[in-house]
Amino acid sequence: MATTYTKTTTISTTTAPNSTVEIPCGEASLIALSIKGTFVGTLIFEATIDGINYYATGGIIATNVAFNTSQQTTTTIPGDFFIPVSAALSFRVRFSVYTSGAAVVVLRAEEATMPFNWSLVNTVLTPSATLGAFTGTHSLVSTATTNATSVKASSGTIGTITLTNASAAMKFFKLYNKASAPVVGTDTPVSIIGVPPTRTIVIPFEQGLRLTTGIAYALTGLMPIADTTALALNDMSVHINYI
């Protein structure tokens, strides 16, 4: 990572105007923030696009970057944080509430994207190497049906789908957000993937494809949602990694 700018400032409301410490973002998309010292108060993290109006922006505690953790826009204690600020003009740390003491703030703007497998949306489970990534596996070789299958009967996240079509005609994989096997031809899939004859395709989802109700699928001979054309025995194989 290339460091654009580093700034260290001690702030307190008794040393105005240093109750706020600010750093230009430039081309940076990531702010590394370290807060030390002894203080009683609340520091708020803010960024601006126009240089006048500021909005609260959240980051994650540095020791939690491998986990799915909700964003944190303020702190009342020392700590280290990573905060994405892509396209912002500048970033600042400000005492919104102050009682006593002083905070030593180190800001570093980095020309880098977030280098961690991390999602700011805490309702989305983002796997990590620490957690074992996509720990569930499902495999199927088609029978002479539409192969309506329930992979997971509750919310889940797909990491990779691998499909092999051994037949001489196009086949279709239909993915459903459903907690039970789909009613093929009636239920509406969230995705329809065509697999060319005698081909294998691999579909990766780096941050995972979240299905909130369940993971289910079917295999058909034609594309339309209403199609119920069954496959022949051993026409296709399906492999899904998920959590």
Side-chain angles (χ1 to χ4, degrees), residues 22-120:
E22 189 160 352
I23 188 172
C25 295
E27 299 298 321
S29 58
L30 179 69
I31 297 294
L33 167 63
S34 179
I35 300 172
K36 299 294 184 286
T38 301
F39 59 91
V40 178
T42 300
L43 290 163
I44 188 170
F45 311 150
E46 298 175 316
T48 181
I49 294 174
D50 60 9
I52 300 172
N53 301 293
Y54 286 79
Y55 58 91
T57 184
I60 193 168
I61 297 173
T63 54
N64 288 341
V65 294
F67 300 93
N68 176 58
T69 305
S70 59
Q71 57 183 317
Q72 184 169 327
T73 59
T74 65
T75 186
T76 58
I77 60 174
D80 297 321
F81 306 86
F82 291 109
I83 301 170
V85 290
S86 184
L89 178 67
S90 66
F91 171 83
R92 74 183 185 184
V93 177
R94 176 174 61 87
F95 266 122
S96 62
V97 177
Y98 177 81
T99 301
S100 63
V104 180
V105 179
V106 177
L107 295 168
R108 190 174 74 247
E110 296 284 356
E111 293 179 355
T113 56
M114 176 58 67
F116 308 102
N117 194 8
W118 166 45
S119 171
L120 283 178

Side-chain angles (χ1 to χ4, degrees), residues 29 37 90 102 120-121 124 150 156-157 170 184 205 210 220 226 233 235:
S29 58
S90 66
L120 283 178
V121 184
V124 177
S150 174
T157 301
M170 193 83 164
V184 183
F205 303 96
R210 182 72 163 176
T220 63
L233 179 67
D235 265 0

Side-chain angles (χ1 to χ4, degrees), residues 154-237:
S154 61
S155 60
T157 301
I158 297 174
T160 305
I161 299 174
T162 303
L163 305 170
T164 297
N165 180 4
S167 75
M170 193 83 164
K171 303 299 179 186
F172 295 88
F173 172 87
K174 296 177 179 178
L175 181 65
Y176 300 83
N177 183 17
K178 190 173 182 181
S180 60
V183 180
V184 183
T186 299
D187 290 337
T188 300
V190 296
S191 180
I192 299 175
I193 302 168
V195 186
T198 65
R199 290 281 300 277
T200 295
I201 62 173
V202 179
I203 306 160
F205 303 96
E206 287 188 7
Q207 294 297 314
L209 174 62
R210 182 72 163 176
L211 297 178
T212 57
T213 303
I215 302 172
Y217 69 88
L219 305 172
T220 63
L222 299 175
M223 182 184 293
I225 292 173
D227 179 56
T228 58
T229 304
L231 271 61
L233 179 67
N234 299 331
D235 265 0
M236 284 189 66
S237 69

